[in-house]
Amino acid sequence: MATTTVTTPEAAAPRRNEKVGQVVSTKMQKTIVVEIEMRKAHPKYKRVMKSNKKFYAHDEQNSARVGDVVRIRETRPLSKLKRWSLEEIIRRSSLSALPDEKPSRNGENQVEAV
């Protein structure tokens, strides 16, 4: 009458917290800043309030770009501010499809002095 329970490694490990948000900065090496929008009802007035919070996440391949919608997962502390890592890019931004080229100023919109 003894029953044995088999646990898989996935079930035994605690589930890590995940969040979905938009990338607002990629100016650091291997780091992105993700802004999460949270909606919560006011305790007294019951009006839905929006609040934003920024999280620093580790991006090993520097694959995320500004405007992308990404999923981040909680990890061990990687630096003073980074406690999240990039899990996947859910949707690419239409802005990131454009090439990152600066227009040359030679001959463009210049008024010739006569």
Side-chain angles (χ1 to χ4, degrees):
M1 290 292 178
T3 60
T4 59
T5 58
V6 178
T7 59
T8 61
E10 296 172 1
R15 183 149 176 85
R16 302 228 178 210
N17 196 4
E18 290 185 347
K19 295 187 184 297
V20 176
Q22 190 170 14
V23 178
V24 294
S25 175
T26 58
K27 293 185 178 183
M28 295 166 276
Q29 295 177 3
K30 297 187 177 185
T31 303
I32 57 175
V33 181
V34 180
E35 189 171 43
I36 310 292
E37 181 180 286
M38 295 166 281
R39 294 170 178 249
K40 188 175 179 182
H42 190 276
K44 183 176 181 181
Y45 302 113
K46 309 301 184 214
R47 186 185 193 299
V48 176
M49 307 293 287
K50 286 194 293 187
S51 64
N52 295 327
K53 184 161 173 123
K54 291 181 182 178
F55 295 96
Y56 286 71
H58 184 67
D59 182 9
E60 184 65 37
Q61 285 86 28
N62 285 327
S63 56
R65 298 187 189 131
V66 175
D68 292 351
V69 177
V70 296
R71 174 178 290 118
I72 56 175
R73 175 174 281 179
E74 200 171 23
T75 61
R76 64 183 177 84
L78 299 170
S79 70
K80 179 182 175 183
L81 297 173
K82 286 200 305 192
R83 275 100 173 104
W84 299 83
S85 65
L86 177 67
E87 189 66 23
E88 68 170 319
I89 298 172
I90 297 172
R91 188 177 70 230
R92 285 277 185 192
S93 170
S94 59
L95 299 174
S96 63
L98 300 173
D100 295 333
E101 295 179 7
K102 293 183 179 179
S104 64
R105 302 187 122 197
N106 298 342
E108 290 184 5
N109 298 332
Q110 292 182 357
V111 178
E112 294 182 19
V114 181

